[in-house]
Every structure is written in structure tokens, then in C-alpha cells.
């Protein structure tokens, strides 16, 4: 066994490193294959101990040079996140390899090498090492809750116990792919109005800051009384000059604050019900939440996850506190031995069709299949709604943008209509 690199002696009088640091290691697994990766620890000895505990033979352990000098890594916001698309692709590839007879270690090693996400590759490397040391796959995945959602962890656990891990991974892939497709539809519908709205704001701001003051100076030199629309435009221009720095600061600070507080319970209790009451868009948000709830619940029940555990997970994964409350009520009903679908009728977010279909599925013993049919129905509804919104919003946004810019131009040129009277 190769001797691991020793930690350099600390100079006298130098303060010890505070907090964990990132170390790059090279080690050999039990098959003699060279494995490279990174770990966070307080010192090199801790890294060596972890590697040995995972059944690896350390070859070298060095402090990571990333972030130092010319080797600094530049991470854009969101670049270090593992997206749902990455998980969908990983699950499908994982299912294919497991069903083909590859061992978990071999499959995890291949996934870590070929995934495009650096974050996911590093996590899969750690999961592989933990599995090699005797940890179950679901437990290893559960140690990375920021990457793998509870839905995936619990389904993998059910697949391990039941001996149908490949089927579970395939269901996960289909579930994630459906969610990715749903998000893409909504994003495509929202892109056009958002772009037009941003262009409108920039155009109005540019005219108020740079063009209106020129006309205002010209009108002031001529004298005379300005029309009311022009006076309003001039007042807005002067006010925006002083408010622009405050607006810029708020535009930077508010999104940062919102990201920190949007997941807090108190905020969600207020915001989530409001999302469902917004005209037109509230109906779209309801359909998306129902599709996500029924798809996840059907997938987990089909995979053999206990119903109470499934309800708890899908409630949290629905993305809306209203659905989560309904899920909690269903859990209490099931605990007391009552029907699954009955409590949903008391929540307006669940249409009668959904309640009736779930009740029929429960009576016939095909609840998971019925839930997938409901999910497919609402996926089609979301697609139809987004297409209708797109066709409706495009002309409305064009009229909105044209109306604002046109009104400003008319307000600026109204005094010119009487310029000859002022000259006389």
C-alpha cells in the first residue's frame, strides 16, 4: 500500500486553520483502480481516515488549489446546482446499467465520469465510495439531501428492499422527465411576456431620463403653459432622477432577500394561497401543483413506498402549502382507517373530478394507475393553457408596449402643436 502524503508541519506561531478546507486526493480502490476526488475536512489526517474508512488506499492528499491565484474557479450563480434535468438523465442511465447487469459500483463510477454537472459528479463519487464501504445506496443518497430529493431517496429504498431497483430508477427517470417537460412548457409561455415587459420598462426609463429632460428644457425656454399630460411626464422625469439609485438598489437587494425568505413557513402561508387566486395564472399554478402531486404520489405508491410516508413526501414536494395541508388531512384520515380521497373534497384546490377518480382508483385497487391518468390529464391541460396564454398575451403585450410609448410621444409633442402661438 502506498504511503499517504504527510501533512506539512505548521510554522511556529502561525494560527491554525479555522473551519474545514477542501482537499484533493488520489487513492486506489480494492480493485486497484486509481480514484481521484475532493473532500472537505479540517486537516489531511481527517481525509486519510475517511478514505481508509471507505475502503480506499490513499496515495496522495493535498490542499485544493482551486480558488488560489490563476487557478481560481469562477462559478456563476446557479452553476454549482444539480438540476432536475441532470437527475432525470442520471436516473435513466442508472436504470439502463443496473438492468443490464452492471454492479452498483461500476454504474456509479460510469455515471460520475460522464455526467456534465461537476457537482453531481463529485457527489456520485462520494456515494460510490460510501456504497463500496458497505452503506446501502438509499442511505448514501440520503446523506446528500441538497442534491437528491426525498422522493428519490425513498423510492430507491423501496426498490432495494423489494429487489426491483432498476424498475424504480426507470420510474424516477420518467417522473423527472415529465417534470422537466412541464417546467419547459411553463417557461416557454412566460418568456415572451417577461421579455416584452423588461423592454417596456427599459424604454420608458430611457425616455424619462434622457429624452424628456431635453424637451422640458426646450419648452421652458419658450414659455407658456404646458398641457397636463406633458406636465405629468416632466414630473415623472424629475422624480425618476432622484429615485433611480433607490430603484437600482432595491432591484438588487429584493431578489436576494426573497431567495432567503421565500421558503420560510410564514411567507409560504401567505404567498402560496395568493398564487392560486391570481386571475388566469392562478388556474395554471393549480394545474401544475395537481399534476405534480398526483404524479409523485402515483409513482411512489407503484414503487411500494408506504402510503403515509408517500403522502408526507409528495405534500412537501408539491410546491404549494395549500396542497401540503390537504395532504396532511389525508394522512390523518388514513391513520384513522378512513378513505383516502374523502378529505380532499373539503379542499377547493382539488376539483371534484380528481376526488372521484381517486375514489374509484382506491375502490378498484388501481390507485397508482388512476393517479398517473390524472397527472397526464393535467399535463395536457397545462400545455393547452400555456398555448392559450401565449396566443393571448402576445397581442396584449404588443398593445401595452405600443400604448405606453405612444402616449409618451404624444405627451412630448403636444406643446409643439402650439409652438407658433408661443412664438407670436
Amino acid at each position: 500500500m502506498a504511503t499517504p502524503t504527510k501533512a506539512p508541519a505548521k510554522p511556529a506561531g502561525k494560527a491554525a486553520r479555522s473551519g474545514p478546507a477542501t482537499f484533493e486526493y488520489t487513492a486506489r480502490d480494492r480493485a486497484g483502480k486509481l480514484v481521484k476526488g475532493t473532500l472537505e475536512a479540517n486537516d489531511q489526517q481527517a481525509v486519510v481516515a475517511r478514505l481508509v474508512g471507505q475502503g480506499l488506499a490513499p496515495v496522495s492528499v493535498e490542499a485544493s488549489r482551486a480558488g488560489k491565484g490563476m487557478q481560481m474557479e469562477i462559478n456563476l450563480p446557479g452553476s454549482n446546482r444539480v438540476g432536475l434535468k441532470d437527475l432525470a438523465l442520471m436516473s435513466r442511465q442508472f436504470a439502463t446499467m443496473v438492468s443490464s447487469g452492471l454492479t452498483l459500483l461500476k454504474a456509479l463510477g460510469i455515471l460520475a465520469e460522464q455526467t456534465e454537472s461537476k457537482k453531481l459528479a463529485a457527489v456520485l463519487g462520494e456515494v460510490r465510495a460510501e456504497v463500496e464501504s458497505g452503506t446501502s445506496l438509499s442511505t448514501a443518497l440520503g446523506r446528500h439531501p441538497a442534491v437528491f430529493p426525498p422522493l428519490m431517496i425513498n423510492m430507491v429504498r423501496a426498490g432495494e428492499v423489494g429487489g426491483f431497483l432498476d424498475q424504480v430508477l426507470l420510474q424516477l427517470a420518467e417522473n423527472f422527465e415529465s417534470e422537466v417537460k412541464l417546467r419547459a412548457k411553463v417557461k416557454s409561455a412566460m418568456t415572451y411576456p417577461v421579455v416584452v415587459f423588461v423592454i417596456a420598462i427599459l424604454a420608458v426609463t430611457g425616455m424619462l431620463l434622457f429624452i424628456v429632460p431635453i424637451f422640458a428644457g426646450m419648452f421652458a425656454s419658450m414659455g407658456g403653459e404646458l398641457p397636463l399630460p406633458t406636465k405629468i411626464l416632466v414630473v415623472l422625469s424629475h422624480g425618476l432622477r432622484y429615485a433611480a439609485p433607490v430603484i437600482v438598489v432595491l432591484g438588487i437587494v429584493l431578489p436576494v432577500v426573497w431567495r432567503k425568505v421565500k421558503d420560510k413557513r410564514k411567507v409560504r402561508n401567505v404567498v402560496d394561497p395568493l398564487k392560486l387566486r391570481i386571475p388566469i395564472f392562478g388556474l395554471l399554478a393549480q394545474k401544475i401543483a395537481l399534476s405534480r402531486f398526483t404524479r409523485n404520489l402515483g409513482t411512489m405508491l407503484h414503487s411500494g413506498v408506504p402510503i403515509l410516508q408517500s403522502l408526507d413526501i409528495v405534500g412537501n414536494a408539491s410546491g404549494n402549502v395549500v396542497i401540503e395541508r390537504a395532504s396532511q388531512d389525508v394522512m390523518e384520515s388514513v391513520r384513522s382507517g378512513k378513505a383516502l380521497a374523502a378529505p380532499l373534497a373539503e379542499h377547493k384546490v382539488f376539483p371534484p373530478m380528481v376526488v372521484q377518480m381517486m375514489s374509484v382508483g382506491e375502490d378498484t385497487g388501481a390507485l397508482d394507475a388512476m393517479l398517473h391518468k390524472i397527472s397526464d390529464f393535467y399535463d395536457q391541460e397545462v400545455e393547452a393553457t400555456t398555448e392559450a396564454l401565449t396566443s393571448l398575451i402576445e397581442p396584449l403585450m404588443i398593445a401595452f408596449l405600443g400604448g405606453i410609448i405612444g402616449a409618451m410621444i404624444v405627451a412630448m409633442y403636444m406643446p409643439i402643436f402650439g409652438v407658433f402661438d408661443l412664438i407670436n
Side-chain angles (χ1 to χ4, degrees), residues 168-229:
V168 166
L169 290 171
L170 190 59
Q171 291 170 16
L172 274 171
E174 293 174 352
N175 184 284
F176 289 150
E177 287 166 357
S178 298
E179 183 71 18
V180 169
K181 190 181 297 183
L182 184 66
R183 292 184 182 182
K185 291 175 184 176
V186 176
K187 187 180 294 184
S188 64
M190 296 296 104
T191 298
Y192 181 83
V194 168
V195 170
V196 173
F197 186 69
V198 171
I199 291 175
I201 292 177
L202 293 177
V204 170
T205 303
M207 292 181 69
L208 289 175
L209 289 178
F210 303 107
I211 299 177
V212 173
I214 297 175
F215 278 81
M218 182 178 67
F219 297 150
S221 64
M222 292 180 180
E225 184 72 15
L226 294 176
L228 179 61

Side-chain angles (χ1 to χ4, degrees), residues 5-8 23 41-51 61:
T5 304
K6 294 183 179 180
F23 292 88
N42 292 327
D43 52 36
Q44 289 173 315
Q45 284 79 9
V47 176
V48 172
R50 288 180 61 180
L51 293 174
V61 178

